[in-house]
């Protein structure tokens, strides 16, 4: 995804107050995954820029929050899928990988 799409995701999640979901990322360069879930979509999410985000996993805590987040993700149309924790949105897709759009 490009920076514009990442910012669209960032803004959309931040605007879900009081239902802001937590997130964690994986770096495409070295495979580093953030060990803890984070709820700061403004400062922490952009701290290292968007260029190296392989994926962001978005955690939902209940059915209501999951439904709200799903609706927003469909509206902004991002590459990803639903997971047991919530959703995974991809910044980079590995060669040959098939991916859906939320």
């Amino acid at each position: 995804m490009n920076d514009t799409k990442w910012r669209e995701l960032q803004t959309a999640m931040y605007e879900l107050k009081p239902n802001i979901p937590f997130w964690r990322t994986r770096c495409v360069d070295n495979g580093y995954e953030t060990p803890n879930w984070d709820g700061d979509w403004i400062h922490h999410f952009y701290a290292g820029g968007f260029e190296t985000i392989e994926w962001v996993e978005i955690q939902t805590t209940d059915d209501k929050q999951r439904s709200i987040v799903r609706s927003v993700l469909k509206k902004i149309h991002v590459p990803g899928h639903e997971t047991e924790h919530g959703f995974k949105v991809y910044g980079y897709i590995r060669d040959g990988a098939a991916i859906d759009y939320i």
Side-chain angles (χ1 to χ4, degrees):
M1 288 197 325
N2 62 33
D3 283 2
T4 301
K5 205 64 170 173
W6 280 121
R7 287 194 188 284
E8 189 176 2
L9 173 67
Q10 178 186 34
T11 300
M13 294 298 109
Y14 176 75
E15 290 177 349
L16 289 179
K17 296 177 192 175
N19 294 298
I20 295 176
F22 280 57
W23 57 270
R24 63 183 180 177
T25 60
R26 179 180 174 144
C27 179
V28 72
D29 293 337
N30 58 17
Y32 176 77
E33 294 180 21
T34 51
N36 301 312
W37 294 95
D38 194 332
D40 184 338
W41 282 92
I42 296 301
H43 300 101
H44 294 175
F45 188 67
Y46 183 70
F50 301 123
E51 300 84 29
T52 62
I53 299 175
E54 180 177 353
W55 51 253
V56 59
E57 193 169 16
I58 301 169
Q59 181 184 49
T60 55
T61 56
D62 58 38
D63 290 340
K64 177 184 175 187
Q65 186 184 40
R66 182 179 285 260
S67 178
I68 291 168
V69 171
R70 182 187 304 113
S71 176
V72 169
L73 294 176
K74 283 183 177 191
K75 181 179 178 184
I76 61 176
H77 194 65
V78 292
H81 63 271
E82 251 181 276
T83 69
E84 68 177 278
H85 297 292
F87 301 89
K88 188 176 280 188
V89 175
Y90 294 93
Y92 289 91
I93 300 169
R94 303 221 183 255
D95 289 339
I99 194 68
D100 293 326
Y101 278 79
I102 299 172

